[in-house]
Structure formats: structure tokens, C-alpha cells
Amino acid sequence: MNATASSINPPPLIISGYSSQPLAEQIASALGSRTVKVTHRQYDDEETETTIQENVRGRKIAVVASAAGAPDKQISETRSLMRDVAHAGAAHIMLLLPYMFYGRSDKNLSMRRSPKLFQVIEDLRAGCDSAVVCDPHNHEVTYAKFNDSGGRAQHCVIAHFAFPYAAQLQSLMQTTAIDHKNLVFAHADAGSGKRIDPSFRECMYDMLGFTGRNPDQDDWAQGLKDRDKKTNKSRIKGFSGGIKGKHVVIFEDMISSGGTACDLAALLKQKGAHSTILFATSGLFTTKRFEEPETRAIERINTSRLDAVFITDTYDFRNTRPPLADAIEQSPIIHSIETAPYLALILHAMHIEAHEPATNENSVSAILRGKHPAQLEPGQTIAQPTPLKPGNPLLRFQR
């Protein structure tokens, strides 16, 4: 194993869902492990079948669930993979969820209806011993539900991406006219603020040199929303904090159709923002099916006032919607950040914790705060920035 070298041998084997195969291969490489051969078959009636082709008896397994694609199909595939490795005698099953399916259903709670999110987590936690969930829409509900008594899963980690994001911003600050004095951290709305915890701010502040800021205090600027009475849709109506002449950096768990982000960028530019930069863990880029072109969300972003959008490679369309993957690749605005070494480090730390008491320096908590030795070493390879694409508006600020 390279940057995530472990004294525990062997490292977990990696098993991948269909749409997450490239990510799984990269995680396995970072762990010094390998992926288990799995066949994925889809019949003419759209039924799917997965078959594990290797012996995994007595081994520790990390199942990397599919992210992009039809959620119900991906959930079913994930359950099948966990069930198959359990029947094959795996010693321990870790589940890595690059995207939390039905994460936005957490508000649909009533006397006769529980959110689909609850049902999904109950099904998934029955098949794994531990779980890593990447930046879910509702951190608190997801964490609490995975750790409810009665399920097989005994440990759940909510993974944010402050460290890779800070590495990207660090690069922008070194190559463009972005510095401490004109950089503003922002939430898209009040809900976004709930997802940014103190460990996220601590990692961000330490890496970027904001030594005087308190990570326990949320003093970020924020978008203000209301609801249009005619359409019943939410809309951006304002923004708190001084932003004139500033580079405004917004953090979100996902970008869906891009409408809110584009509206927010337009408002910020109208109020004098120097640039608007969005970091979103999952790039869904949804459209109205049968009403809009498949790439409409990408086109909307390309023609918006957003200067740069950074998504992670956890939500990958290459196997499920190639035209959309091509449009993302060709966009001068949208950039993808590689996350495999970072996620491998988290899986490695959980692997250690499953066998021996974790020390402060090798714990998952240390990783989330950017304090793991592998993150602090000179020339660290846990997070590497992606270069700006030709034609990106931020290049006009380049020194």
C-alpha cells in the first residue's frame, strides 16, 4: 500500500457496484489491494444480476456501492453484493456509499409515511458491519439511522470532503488572484449550514491559513430563500454578508438541475462579487425527463455566472449515461476532483479500528480534520488539485 500503508495485512478486498467501478479500482490501488471480479448482467426486461467470481471466505471486504443510475436498481445491486459476500463467508463487510440514495426524502415524515431514506438505510445496514457515507443530504438523520440498535452495522462514518476541497482552493490561491482578504466562505441556504460541521471548518481553516477563525463558530455568509406563491418553488431572494469585490466559495452536498446555483451566482455577481465558485460533492445534473435534452443542466451551468464548479468523482456517469459524462468533460466550468486516495485512507482507518484501538493520529476523526500523518507529510498525495480547464473564467485572474 502506498500513502495509506498499514501494519495490518492483508487490506480489505474491494467489490464494486456497476457505476462505481473506476472509483473502486482507484481505491483498491491506493489501499494496496485489488478489486474482486464481479459480473454485472442486465436482461432484456431490465432485471439485473451480479455474480462474484472469486473466493472471499475469511477476507475483509469493502463494497463500493453504485452511485449514478436508477436508485432503486443501484440499491438492489448493493444489497445483492453484500448478501453474496456474506454467504461466501466474508469475515467483515464495510459498505462505502459514494451517494446516499433518497437522501432528500428525510422531510416526508407523517403518521402513515416514513421517509424512503429510513427504509433504504434499514435495508443496507442489515448487510454490513460498518459503513462510510459520503456527504449525505441530511448528516444527522443518516448517522442516527445507521447506528440505530437492531441492525448489523455497528459503526457509521459520515465523510465530508474538506481536505480535497481545501487542496483545490490552495492551488487556486497559489495560481490566481484569490487570497485570504478577498475570499468568502458561504452556504447556499440555511440547510447547507447544517451539513458543514466544525471538523470541516477546522480542516479548511488550517490548510488555508485562517489561523484566527474559530471552527466551532459558523460565521459564513448565506443565501436567503423564500417560496414563490404562484409556483410554490423556492427561489433566491438575497444574500447575507459583504461580498462586493470578493471571491465567494459555496459548499453543497449536491448540484441537481443547477437552477438554484445559477440563480445564486447571478445574484452574487449583481451585488459585486468578483467570482463565484461552487463545490458540490455529487453532480447529479438532472433534467425534466422527455422535456429537456439530457445535457440541459450542463448547458445551463456553462452559460451561467458561475466561474467554476468542482464536483467529486464519487458520482460517475461513464457507465450509465456516457453523453452526460462527455458533456461534463467538455465543460469549461465543471471540474472533477479525484477522491480515491482520501476515501482509501478513511477505509484504512476503519480497518485499523476494527482490530485495535485507534490512536488520535490515525483515526477517522483525524482524517476529517486534516490531521492524519499521511495528510501532513511534505508532498502528500491524499488530495491533489485538478487544473483549471482551458476557457475557464478564473484564468483571467491568473498571475
Side-chain angles (χ1 to χ4, degrees):
M1 197 154 61
N2 46 32
T4 56
S6 171
S7 60
I8 297 176
N9 192 42
L13 294 173
I14 308 298
I15 290 182
S16 173
Y18 178 70
S19 70
S20 293
Q21 292 174 79
L23 177 65
E25 290 280 359
Q26 293 166 7
I27 290 173
S29 176
L31 277 171
S33 183
R34 62 180 179 85
T35 56
V36 173
K37 186 177 180 181
V38 178
T39 57
H40 302 267
R41 184 176 181 183
Q42 179 166 299
Y43 296 95
D44 292 340
D45 61 359
E46 295 195 1
E47 289 184 355
T48 59
E49 180 181 77
T50 58
T51 306
I52 295 172
Q53 301 287 347
E54 299 182 37
N55 181 10
V56 298
R57 181 170 298 279
R59 293 298 301 269
K60 298 168 184 64
I61 303 294
V63 175
V64 181
S66 280
D72 288 332
K73 184 181 293 186
Q74 311 296 22
I75 293 166
S76 176
E77 178 194 61
T78 304
R79 293 171 60 192
S80 294
L81 290 173
M82 291 191 296
R83 184 169 57 249
D84 289 349
V85 295
H87 288 172
H92 184 97
I93 302 173
M94 289 191 289
L95 172 62
L96 171 61
L97 283 167
Y99 174 72
M100 185 64 248
F101 312 107
Y102 289 98
R104 289 180 287 181
S105 73
D106 59 282
K107 296 180 181 178
N108 301 330
L109 182 62
S110 67
M111 291 291 290
R112 298 183 180 180
R113 179 182 183 183
S114 64
K116 183 65 179 275
L117 174 63
F118 287 13
Q119 301 169 35
V120 171
I121 292 176
E122 287 172 357
D123 287 344
L124 294 178
R125 74 181 188 189
C128 62
D129 298 289
S130 56
V132 178
V133 187
C134 295
D135 201 11
H137 190 67
N138 191 319
H139 289 196
E140 293 180 355
V141 169
T142 302
Y143 180 81
K145 196 64 182 174
F146 258 109
N147 287 291
D148 273 356
S149 59
R152 174 176 172 178
Q154 297 297 310
H155 182 39
C156 174
V157 167
I158 303 298
H160 60 61
F161 291 92
F163 187 73
Y165 290 169
Q168 186 68 51
L169 278 172
Q170 204 172 44
S171 175
L172 292 178
M173 292 169 71
Q174 291 169 353
T175 59
T176 67
I178 300 177
D179 56 38
H180 296 159
K181 293 181 180 179
N182 64 16
L183 185 65
V184 171
F185 295 119
H187 303 301
D189 53 35
S192 301
K194 297 177 182 178
R195 292 188 291 273
I196 302 296
D197 68 13
S199 68
F200 187 106
R201 289 190 289 269
E202 180 181 354
C203 180
M204 190 69 60
Y205 295 166
D206 285 353
M207 284 191 67
L208 299 181
F210 288 90
T211 55
R213 299 190 68 168
N214 182 0
D216 293 319
Q217 181 180 355
D218 183 1
D219 56 359
W220 291 12
Q222 180 177 299
L224 307 174
K225 284 185 177 181
D226 67 1
R227 190 164 291 277
D228 189 306
K229 294 181 180 179
K230 293 183 179 180
T231 64
N232 199 36
K233 293 182 178 180
S234 62
R235 60 186 179 187
I236 299 292
K237 67 172 184 177
F239 200 82
S240 68
I243 56 174
K244 188 174 181 179
K246 304 292 186 180
H247 293 274
V248 183
V249 182
I250 305 161
F251 297 94
E252 271 283 25
D253 63 310
M254 67 177 70
I255 182 167
S256 187
S257 67
T260 298
C262 293
D263 290 346
L264 182 55
L267 175 67
L268 291 169
K269 289 294 182 67
Q270 182 183 352
K271 291 184 174 295
H274 213 39
S275 71
T276 56
I277 303 168
L278 173 68
F279 285 84
T281 301
S282 302
L284 308 185
F285 304 115
T286 59
T287 57
K288 295 180 180 178
R289 196 175 183 186
F290 307 122
E291 296 181 23
E292 297 178 314
E294 185 175 21
T295 58
R296 178 68 184 96
I298 308 298
E299 296 163 5
R300 181 183 295 117
I301 291 167
N302 288 343
T303 57
S304 74
R305 303 300 301 277
L306 283 162
D307 292 286
V309 173
F310 294 95
I311 57 175
T312 72
D313 60 357
T314 57
Y315 203 94
D316 188 346
F317 290 107
R318 281 177 286 180
N319 287 343
T320 56
R321 298 170 68 187
L324 192 53
D326 291 342
I328 293 169
E329 180 65 27
Q330 294 166 13
S331 169
I333 306 299
I334 303 169
H335 303 73
S336 182
I337 297 174
E338 294 185 1
T339 61
Y342 178 72
L343 291 173
L345 190 65
I346 291 175
L347 290 177
H348 167 62
M350 294 184 69
H351 184 48
I352 291 175
E353 291 177 1
H355 297 83
E356 60 188 48
T359 63
N360 288 335
E361 68 174 15
N362 68 15
S363 67
V364 174
S365 174
I367 297 169
L368 297 179
R369 292 182 290 113
K371 298 292 178 30
H372 189 280
Q375 294 168 296
L376 299 174
E377 63 187 18
Q380 62 81 23
T381 58
I382 302 302
Q384 294 296 310
T386 185
L388 291 174
K389 294 179 181 178
N392 183 267
L394 288 179
L395 291 173
R396 71 186 186 273
F397 302 124
Q398 201 164 47
R399 298 185 182 96

